[in-house]
Amino acid sequence: MAVFSSGGVEIAYEVSGEGQPILLVHGFSATADDNWVRTGWVQALTRARFKAVTFDLRGHGASRKLHDPADYTTAKMGGDAIALLDHLGIERADLMGFSMGAGIALWLAARHGARFGKVVLAGIGGKALEPSRADNPVADALEAADPSGVEDRQARAFRLYAENLGQDLRAIAACARAPRRSAEAGEGAAELAGAVRNETLAIAGARDDLAGDPQALAALMPHARAEIIPGTDHMFALPNPMFKGAVMDFLTGWSE
């Protein structure tokens, strides 16, 4: 992967294919390779004549590891995405984010909508509209000396996933502890969704308990629709052929 500096933070990125640019934003504790290459998304997009721009979020993969939660606000991670487009000389691109990456994509569409065409918010839904939990079991699991003692099954799964990818657990834990949903600052999911004017697809699996109902989020945007993919959950959404087909249909065909 190539590397550029986003305000002094080294961000690793890769560009594949030729055609309409699309920026892909991976999920929490993942990498661009694991979310977008291993699951076949880059291959599918380049075959459909898209230029796929992928990058490792700060603290993840080959990008710089930071250990202060203040370095992982949505605005700072979204700022890295805008800086990458500027670095590549891309004036306008389609946009897709998964899970936490969908939250970043939502922020990007709300705050920099003119830089983007179609927007795909994948693995996100009504759960994003709920208040943040007071506790943080995922961060606790990432900081635990021994993951076998972590009782929260979902939190333990994130810990093991991050370990399997060779992530810096301190950096991923700092990302997990970053404040993200502030309605008072206009950064809550509902406030951001209300500011999006892009043609948008919110999509999640029917068994995705982390995302919730994507229709609840799509309903807040004037040019959005929702898709629910039967039989899939959060962790297996991206490689699901029906999930991929719905997104590709949207990117290549559907229009208001």
Side-chain angles (χ1 to χ4, degrees):
M1 298 180 82
V3 176
F4 85 106
S5 176
S6 174
V9 178
E10 294 78 23
I11 301 295
Y13 71 93
E14 193 162 6
V15 180
S16 304
E18 295 293 335
Q20 167 63 22
I22 181 167
L23 181 68
L24 303 172
V25 190
H26 70 73
F28 171 73
S29 78
T31 64
D33 183 77
D34 195 66
N35 270 184
W36 305 121
V37 179
R38 182 186 61 81
T39 57
W41 278 95
V42 168
Q43 181 183 44
L45 287 164
T46 55
R47 282 182 174 176
R49 301 186 182 278
F50 284 89
K51 177 188 289 186
V53 179
T54 61
F55 68 107
D56 285 340
L57 291 166
R58 54 173 61 199
H60 296 68
S63 291
R64 184 178 174 187
K65 311 304 183 293
L66 305 162
H67 299 120
D68 183 347
D71 288 319
Y72 294 96
T73 63
T74 302
K76 287 185 178 180
M77 291 193 288
D80 293 338
I82 294 295
L84 175 55
L85 293 181
D86 290 344
H87 173 73
L88 295 173
I90 296 174
E91 292 295 327
R92 196 167 188 263
D94 288 335
L95 174 65
M96 178 175 177
F98 175 69
S99 194
M100 181 183 75
I104 296 170
L106 179 64
W107 183 90
L108 286 166
R111 296 291 179 257
H112 299 273
R115 296 295 299 269
F116 301 101
K118 292 184 177 182
V119 175
V120 178
L121 305 176
I124 191 174
K127 292 285 187 181
L129 304 173
E130 298 177 0
S132 298
R133 291 177 56 170
D135 59 343
N136 198 326
V138 172
D140 293 342
L142 289 161
E143 293 168 345
D146 182 0
S148 64
V150 177
E151 295 183 359
D152 188 298
R153 185 176 64 179
Q154 200 171 79
R156 185 170 63 250
F158 273 112
R159 163 65 181 262
L160 296 175
Y161 177 62
E163 281 187 336
N164 287 338
L165 291 179
Q167 302 278 30
D168 180 322
L169 296 184
R170 283 183 61 213
I172 302 300
C175 182
R177 293 199 182 281
R180 290 212 170 80
R181 302 178 195 169
S182 173
E184 293 78 8
E187 300 291 306
E191 290 73 24
L192 292 173
V196 173
R197 296 296 179 265
N198 304 70
E199 201 173 312
T200 302
L201 172 67
I203 182 169
R207 298 171 58 194
D208 189 341
D209 295 332
L210 279 175
D213 183 0
Q215 180 58 49
L217 188 62
L220 300 175
M221 294 176 271
H223 306 294
R225 74 175 188 186
E227 290 275 0
I228 299 173
I229 305 303
T232 196
D233 62 10
H234 196 75
M235 301 306 288
F236 292 97
L238 287 179
N240 182 288
M242 292 178 64
F243 197 99
K244 193 172 295 169
V247 171
M248 294 303 294
D249 283 348
F250 167 72
L251 289 173
T252 60
W254 176 69
S255 180
E256 280 286 314

